[in-house]
């Protein structure tokens, strides 16, 4: 299975993958270009995540943060929250959380090379966690499910990638199954953070889902609060950047 192709289809194509195209100078572009090497895994426009979140009311800034920064945003934010929790430091107060450095080698926060409990690429587990969380409030009706399936079939995936993506999107929101994907404390933190970013929890259903996910993950006391604060900081940075961009273009 071509994992990179799956991720590109899920998060959107990587803007910096086309160096011949000039990059803009808006605050959002600056966030994107400021991500350290290896962190800008999925940027630019499009992607099935945007399509999934686009069916929800309001602006889902956590999902947009994932679109701009890719899976490594999850690693950077989760590592920062985990270290703050261990050292009893406050979280979510850095100026640019979306520009956090890549976690050091050996830290356990390496989404690009880690494996889940079943031995699969851990980025697939993060993708499944995001989809499950985004579906937790049952906002997607039958017609929207059909539209997402049609888009999957038209995205140029191979048979294996297409089957996997259809399975992920057709599966019910299930925090128990998501929690079973983790095999380390770092992965538990990353799965929870990815889920929070995917929903910007603003409904009772989403909050109940995240409560149950945290319970199933066996989240240590206090760690969940640090992860929530980092996710909120990422949303604030992107919101400020988008507001500034809109003001500058008006």
């Amino acid at each position: 299975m071509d994992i990179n192709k799956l991720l590109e289809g899920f998060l959107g194509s990587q803007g910096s993958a086309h160096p011949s195209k000039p990059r803009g100078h808006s605050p959002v572009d600056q966030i994107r270009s400021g991500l350290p090497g290896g962190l800008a895994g999925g940027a630019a426009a499009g992607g099935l995540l945007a399509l999934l979140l686009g069916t929800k009311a309001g602006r889902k800034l956590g999902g947009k943060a994932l679109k701009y920064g890719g899976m490594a945003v999850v690693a950077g934010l989760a590592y920062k929250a985990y270290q703050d929790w261990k050292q009893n430091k406050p979280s979510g107060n850095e100026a640019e959380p979306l520009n956090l450095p890549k976690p050091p080698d050996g830290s356990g926060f390496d989404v690009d090379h880690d494996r889940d409990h079943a031995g699969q690429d851990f980025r697939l587990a993060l993708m499944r966690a995001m989809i499950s969380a985004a579906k937790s409030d049952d906002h997607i009706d039958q017609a929207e499910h059909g539209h997402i399936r049609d888009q999957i079939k038209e995205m140029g995936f191979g048979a294996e990638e297409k089957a996997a993506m259809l399975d992920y999107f057709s599966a019910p929101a299930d925090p128990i199954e998501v929690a079973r994907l983790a095999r380390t404390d770092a992965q538990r933190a990353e799965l929870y953070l990815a889920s929070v970013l995917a929903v910007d929890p603003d409904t009772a259903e989403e909050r109940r889902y995240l409560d149950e996910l945290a319970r199933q993950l066996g989240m240590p006391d206090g760690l969940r609060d640090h992860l929530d604060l980092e996710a909120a900081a990422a949303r604030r940075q992107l919101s400020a950047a988008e507001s500034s961009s809109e003001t500058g273009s008006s």
Side-chain angles (χ1 to χ4, degrees), residues 19 46 61 200 246 249:
L61 290 171
D200 297 1
E246 290 168 2
S249 61

Side-chain angles (χ1 to χ4, degrees), residues 31 34-40 72-81 84 92-103 193 230-231 233-234 237:
I31 288 176
L35 290 169
L39 284 189
V73 160
V74 175
L77 292 171
Y79 176 73
K80 175 65 166 55
D84 289 342
N93 55 5
E94 59 272 13
E96 296 184 333
L98 292 178
N99 300 74
L100 287 168
K102 185 176 180 180
L193 184 79
E230 286 300 329
Q237 183 188 354

Side-chain angles (χ1 to χ4, degrees), residues 28 31 60-65 68 98 233-243:
V28 170
I31 288 176
K60 292 297 171 180
L61 290 171
K64 290 185 179 183
Y68 289 125
L98 292 178
R235 288 191 287 269
R236 285 197 303 273
Q237 183 188 354
L238 189 55
S239 178
E242 290 198 336
S243 296

Side-chain angles (χ1 to χ4, degrees), residues 181-223:
L181 298 172
R183 61 179 179 81
T184 67
D185 286 343
Q187 290 185 351
R188 293 180 183 93
E190 289 166 333
L191 284 172
Y192 177 79
L193 184 79
S195 301
V196 174
L197 285 175
V199 296
D200 297 1
D202 54 9
T203 69
E205 293 89 350
E206 289 169 340
R207 289 190 289 273
R208 282 195 295 269
Y209 177 90
L210 292 174
D211 287 346
E212 182 61 17
L213 177 61
R215 190 178 76 82
Q216 293 293 334
L217 287 168
M219 196 73 63
D221 290 343
L223 177 56

Side-chain angles (χ1 to χ4, degrees), residues 139-149:
H139 72 279
I140 308 174
D141 61 24
Q142 187 172 356
E144 289 165 337
H145 270 296
H147 182 51
I148 291 172
R149 287 195 299 271

